[in-house]
Amino acid sequence: MKRIFLLYIFLFINCTLFAQSKEDTWTAFWDKDTTHTGYKDKNGMIKIEPKFMGMTIANKFDDIIVVTEEENQSWKSYYLTKSGKIVGRDSLYIFDNGPDCENEGFIRFRDHKTDKMGMFNRDGKIVVPAEYSNLTKAINGMIIALKGAEKAMAPGTDGHFSWAGGDDNLIDINNKILIENFVSNDELNFYSVEKSKEPSKDPTRDSFLGVDGQYYSFINYDKEFTLWLKNSLLSDLSKDNLLKHSYEEIFYWKEPIGWINEPKTTFINKNYKLIKDKLLELNNPTCDYFVTTNGLNQFIYEADKYDQYFNNCNESKDWKYPIKSIIITHRDKKDSTQDHFDFLRTENGYQLISVSIRKGKLK
């Protein structure tokens, strides 16, 4: 049997430091006028008086954040570490009209003089120099880095663009190349990385040859979910098995109320036959369905129990906890409707968390 080595690129160091900072997470709070934000520690002691606004979107402060404050009737934006160090003045990385949020103690910045991206660590030190066209978040100590690309502006849009050309490499947080010409997709689970002398034979994994001659393999969420759906759910649609693979509460759409939720036992008991019949359609070769990948909607899943699935800026951590949505389309001569089943990837596997049925009626 070939020995497979688990690869933890700086994982032990990063996780230890990250866990230590998590013990004293600072929380954002408003001033009396709800116009400025400050931060308190876990004991309610004010660490930073309310003075930030604008691009200050971090609800929690662990390592390094983006802040904006007003000075002489103008705004200044920068990166702020927990020790009070200021770096990256006017070097914010903006995406979808919002600044970056740190992940695992690292945060991206853009040098607007060169229009290149780099990355700061939790101490405000540059660990990845600003020499890349684009960088992903640091995930388990790894970053997908695009270099030498050009912006291709989409015609008729307001500043939207895609990247043309360039080379994607997988690098670590010390800017060392792990895999050249990295052909990636959003379905890779970077926390599942394994390193071996030969490509993985696991059908749920994608393997890549590294610069060191070893193969790096990652679980592909799409392949994993497809196999799980077939072997763990559709093979046994009993009520007990459905409950086993359901989250503790199920959200569902009900007219005219909108999204509501119930404990899974209550919901499944009331709607078991309808849900079973809908899911059984997936076994029919003529069933018109597809699967998409999303993240939890922060405006629906607001309870504290869902905090682990969002980062400090209340963005879904879909790179670790994706939602797999099964969408079944029903067509007739007059209209077409779609039923939605959302499964959240949790530490306990995929679990049904929300349902929306248009052809049929939930109780």
Side-chain angles (χ1 to χ4, degrees):
M1 178 180 290
K2 293 183 174 63
R3 186 178 179 187
I4 297 178
F5 298 92
L6 288 177
L7 174 68
Y8 296 102
I9 304 173
F10 305 101
L11 184 60
F12 295 116
I13 296 175
N14 288 341
C15 284
T16 300
L17 293 175
F18 190 59
Q20 289 174 348
S21 66
K22 283 285 188 182
E23 293 177 0
D24 190 25
T25 297
W26 296 353
T27 304
F29 72 99
W30 291 105
D31 60 8
K32 292 181 179 179
D33 298 328
T34 64
T35 55
H36 297 87
T37 298
Y39 289 90
K40 296 180 179 180
D41 67 14
K42 61 181 179 181
N43 298 316
M45 182 179 295
I46 296 176
K47 308 300 289 187
I48 304 177
E49 294 287 347
K51 62 177 181 177
F52 302 128
M53 52 196 307
M55 289 293 180
T56 313
I57 65 171
N59 299 317
K60 297 178 181 178
F61 191 170
D62 280 318
D63 296 298
I64 183 169
I65 61 173
V66 169
V67 295
T68 302
E69 61 177 309
E70 188 175 10
E71 185 179 75
N72 298 325
Q73 297 184 332
S74 63
W75 287 8
K76 60 177 183 179
S77 299
Y78 51 87
Y79 296 81
L80 179 68
T81 71
K82 217 159 185 187
S83 65
K85 182 179 180 180
I86 294 174
V87 296
R89 292 183 183 274
D90 300 316
S91 296
L92 268 57
Y93 166 66
I94 305 295
F95 182 77
D96 277 351
N97 298 317
D100 199 23
C101 195
E102 68 91 6
N103 198 54
E104 301 176 2
F106 301 93
I107 195 166
R108 296 169 289 183
F109 72 91
R110 181 175 291 280
D111 183 336
H112 293 288
K113 294 181 180 178
T114 62
D115 200 26
K116 302 297 183 183
M117 288 180 63
M119 190 169 288
F120 293 119
N121 67 8
R122 57 173 47 87
D123 298 318
K125 296 180 180 178
I126 296 176
V127 290
V128 177
E131 59 186 26
Y132 296 98
S133 304
N134 194 47
L135 297 171
T136 63
K137 290 181 181 293
I139 303 176
N140 195 21
M142 291 170 281
I143 306 156
I144 302 175
L146 174 63
K147 197 170 188 178
E150 298 291 336
K151 290 181 179 178
M153 304 302 295
T157 61
D158 184 17
H160 289 82
F161 65 91
S162 58
W163 292 108
D167 296 308
D168 271 322
N169 294 322
L170 185 68
I171 65 173
D172 66 19
I173 50 92
N174 282 332
N175 200 36
K176 177 184 176 182
I177 295 178
L178 303 175
I179 303 172
E180 293 180 324
N181 301 315
F182 186 63
V183 181
S184 176
N185 58 64
D186 294 334
E187 297 292 337
L188 297 183
N189 177 0
F190 282 91
Y191 298 99
S192 69
V193 63
E194 291 181 357
K195 187 177 177 182
S196 57
K197 293 181 179 180
E198 296 181 357
S200 174
K201 295 181 180 180
D202 186 333
T204 67
R205 287 183 169 271
D206 291 348
S207 296
F208 305 85
L209 181 61
V211 296
D212 59 0
Q214 301 287 300
Y215 284 90
Y216 296 67
S217 72
F218 307 86
I219 288 175
N220 181 303
Y221 287 127
D222 197 47
K223 294 178 180 179
E224 178 188 59
F225 179 73
T226 300
L227 195 62
W228 172 87
L229 181 65
K230 176 183 177 181
N231 295 338
S232 298
L233 188 65
L234 297 183
S235 62
D236 179 10
L237 282 172
S238 65
K239 184 182 294 186
D240 286 343
N241 196 48
L242 190 57
L243 285 168
K244 175 185 176 182
H245 295 296
S246 294
Y247 201 76
E248 61 184 83
E249 61 183 2
I250 306 292
F251 286 76
Y252 63 102
W253 183 267
K254 191 170 185 179
E255 296 287 357
I257 303 172
W259 287 107
I260 57 178
N261 65 291
E262 287 183 337
K264 67 178 182 180
T265 303
T266 303
F267 177 79
I268 297 297
N269 282 338
K270 291 194 304 182
N271 299 283
Y272 172 64
K273 186 179 185 307
L274 177 60
I275 293 173
K276 177 183 178 182
D277 290 344
K278 291 291 183 180
L279 291 175
L280 277 173
E281 294 179 24
L282 299 174
N283 287 325
N284 188 334
T286 63
C287 179
D288 185 2
Y289 80 96
F290 59 96
V291 178
T292 64
T293 304
N294 303 287
L296 280 184
N297 187 325
Q298 66 268 40
F299 300 110
I300 297 176
Y301 303 94
E302 299 179 303
D304 292 344
K305 70 180 72 176
Y306 299 107
D307 283 352
Q308 64 179 305
Y309 302 113
F310 298 95
N311 67 11
N312 289 350
C313 301
N314 209 28
E315 300 166 331
S316 171
K317 292 161 67 171
D318 52 9
W319 56 89
K320 188 173 186 179
Y321 303 111
I323 285 274
K324 285 293 185 178
S325 298
I326 300 175
I327 303 172
I328 305 173
T329 302
H330 304 274
R331 292 184 173 87
D332 55 36
K333 294 181 179 179
K334 295 182 180 180
D335 199 6
S336 67
T337 57
Q338 291 184 325
D339 300 327
H340 295 243
F341 293 87
D342 290 346
F343 294 86
L344 172 66
R345 191 184 194 277
T346 70
E347 301 298 341
N348 297 315
Y350 289 97
Q351 296 184 334
L352 178 67
I353 195 168
S354 74
V355 177
S356 174
I357 293 180
R358 303 297 183 179
K359 193 175 180 60
K361 189 174 182 181
L362 292 167
K363 298 177 182 179

